Amino acid sequence: MSSAHTLEKAGPGNSAPAPAAHESAAHDTVLHAIRTHTQAEHPSAFLAMSRGTSAFTAPGLDGVIAYRRAGRYLVQLGGPFAAPQSYLPLLDRFVAHAHEQDLRVVGAQLQRHDAQAYAERGFTVNQFGSSWVVHLPDFTLRGTRFMRMRNKISRAFRNGLQVSEVSPDDVSGAIRDIDAAWLGSKGDEARPLEFLVGELGGTAQEHRRLFVGTIDSRPVGYISYSPVYGERAGWMHDLSRRIPDGSPGLMEAINSHVIDVLRDEGATWLHFGFTPFTGLDHGNEMPGHSASFQWLMHFLWDQGAALYPAQTQLAYKEKWAPQDPIPEYVAFDGPASVAAFAHIFRACNAF
């Protein structure tokens, strides 16, 4: 049996809340890893701090692996957030830990350097989608390209929109109302996503920033921003929701206000996070990738809106003139498996 530890954070992914001291230890361990090990740069690394996401560690190794269990799979977020000398040993310990329980590993949102390492370790690795980022010093809404968005933003502000940075505790009731209205507009079977999507609250909230839009003192939408560490440090446009049938341009207006705030503070990068099935390119694939799974990703881009609205999400991100897409990958512990892939979405509470 391998010697290892799993640190769990209280939240919807666990059957019972963890003791406060244990939760604090998990928080500190994960935060140190994603802040320190910039060779494992990952724009969505802060999602490892979410409640209900476990952190795998091993004695003598400097790093963590963030994951959730779904059925017979351990679903991993990114690669190991680890020191270079600990990266591969920690991955090997994690795989052994899964196999000892007759479980398999499937990794989601691996970066390219992760994908190469996993492929060399015998995983089947395919591009899963891409993440998107804007370089703030170069960003401008001037020009004909942005005319339509400028008009929508202006309309939202003419309708009385005001944007302010707040604490979630101060607007908790309003946030619940917005969430309920937003989820209700998605249909009876809609479920709030987790794991690969951010959250509000918990011990990690002190590191996030929340901006709320109000009209006539009534909150009508919000965007939460999470910190990003590494060479392209900055913020990630993360969890965002609005009331249905509100003023056009609400989210664009909130985000444009935040861009001004971040740029005034000297921030360089605004990340828009990962969108599955987007930015797909054969040139991004790893040696030994699955041709059939590659076909599936392209099919889901064309026809998979019921699973995830990738085209809608990409349309919003492309409004901000992002840099070239950053490919992200899925890695299978063995051959590519539709069952394993489905369990990524199960870990996300999609079904």
Side-chain angles (χ1 to χ4, degrees):
M1 298 286 285
S2 66
S3 176
H5 301 288
T6 292
L7 305 176
E8 295 182 347
K9 299 182 285 294
N14 297 313
S15 58
H22 188 62
E23 182 180 355
S24 178
H27 173 284
D28 293 344
T29 300
V30 176
L31 185 61
H32 170 79
I34 63 178
R35 278 178 166 173
T36 304
H37 302 307
T38 55
Q39 86 290 343
E41 182 174 355
H42 194 309
S44 299
F46 196 80
L47 297 180
M49 300 290 292
S50 296
R51 293 166 292 178
T53 296
S54 299
F56 177 87
T57 63
L61 298 180
D62 180 10
V64 303
I65 288 177
Y67 74 97
R68 289 192 183 188
R69 178 171 175 174
R72 304 304 301 170
Y73 295 90
L74 299 185
V75 182
Q76 184 180 349
L77 167 65
F81 303 114
Q85 68 275 15
S86 296
Y87 182 96
L88 290 176
L90 186 62
L91 173 59
D92 292 342
R93 294 274 193 97
F94 182 64
V95 173
H97 173 72
H99 291 179
E100 287 164 3
Q101 303 173 74
D102 197 25
L103 305 174
R104 307 297 289 184
V105 172
V106 56
Q109 285 196 246
L110 274 65
Q111 302 302 288
R112 189 171 185 87
H113 67 274
D114 298 312
Q116 292 168 340
Y118 278 56
E120 291 170 0
R121 271 300 196 266
F123 282 71
T124 302
V125 182
N126 275 70
Q127 189 182 1
F128 183 10
S130 297
S131 60
W132 306 82
V133 61
V134 169
H135 188 235
L136 292 179
D138 299 333
F139 180 77
T140 177
L141 282 176
R142 293 191 296 270
T144 56
R145 172 177 183 174
F146 296 102
M147 183 180 300
R148 184 175 180 182
M149 186 159 71
R150 287 199 308 270
N151 291 336
K152 291 179 68 176
I153 291 171
S154 295
R155 183 174 177 184
F157 284 119
R158 287 198 306 271
N159 287 338
L161 179 69
Q162 295 184 323
V163 182
S164 56
E165 184 170 8
V166 300
S167 165
D169 292 338
D170 295 337
V171 291
S172 57
I175 294 295
R176 285 194 296 270
D177 291 343
I178 293 172
D179 288 350
W182 172 84
L183 191 63
S185 71
K186 304 297 181 182
D188 294 339
E189 302 300 319
R191 302 162 64 96
L193 297 181
E194 302 173 0
F195 188 43
L196 303 186
V197 178
E199 64 178 17
L200 295 176
T203 56
Q205 184 58 43
E206 64 179 306
H207 305 288
R208 303 187 190 100
R209 302 177 71 171
L210 176 64
F211 290 81
V212 172
T214 61
I215 294 179
D216 295 330
S217 300
R218 177 197 176 199
V220 293
Y222 68 85
I223 305 177
S224 173
Y225 297 81
S226 299
V228 176
Y229 307 106
E231 291 183 4
R232 285 193 277 198
W235 294 90
M236 184 175 74
H237 179 306
D238 191 6
L239 191 65
S240 59
R241 290 174 183 168
R242 54 166 289 172
I243 61 169
D245 304 320
S247 172
L250 278 180
M251 307 314 287
E252 291 88 348
I254 295 172
N255 193 54
S256 68
H257 170 87
V258 174
I259 284 177
D260 290 340
V261 170
L262 297 180
R263 194 156 44 191
D264 287 346
E265 294 173 352
T268 304
W269 297 97
L270 177 60
H271 297 260
F272 282 81
F274 172 70
T275 304
F277 324 135
T278 64
L280 301 173
D281 188 318
H282 181 75
N284 292 331
E285 297 291 2
M286 292 289 112
H289 72 275
S290 166
S292 59
F293 191 85
Q294 182 185 23
W295 175 89
L296 177 62
M297 295 299 93
H298 286 272
F299 174 80
L300 290 174
W301 162 252
D302 288 328
Q303 306 292 333
L307 178 63
Y308 188 85
Q311 295 192 21
T312 301
Q313 291 293 314
L314 181 58
Y316 175 78
K317 295 176 182 184
E318 286 187 327
K319 291 179 180 181
W320 305 96
Q323 309 287 304
D324 290 339
I326 303 167
E328 299 197 7
Y329 296 84
V330 57
F332 299 95
D333 180 11
S337 163
V338 173
F341 183 65
H343 277 76
I344 295 175
F345 288 88
R346 182 176 173 187
C348 294
N349 196 43
F351 51 81

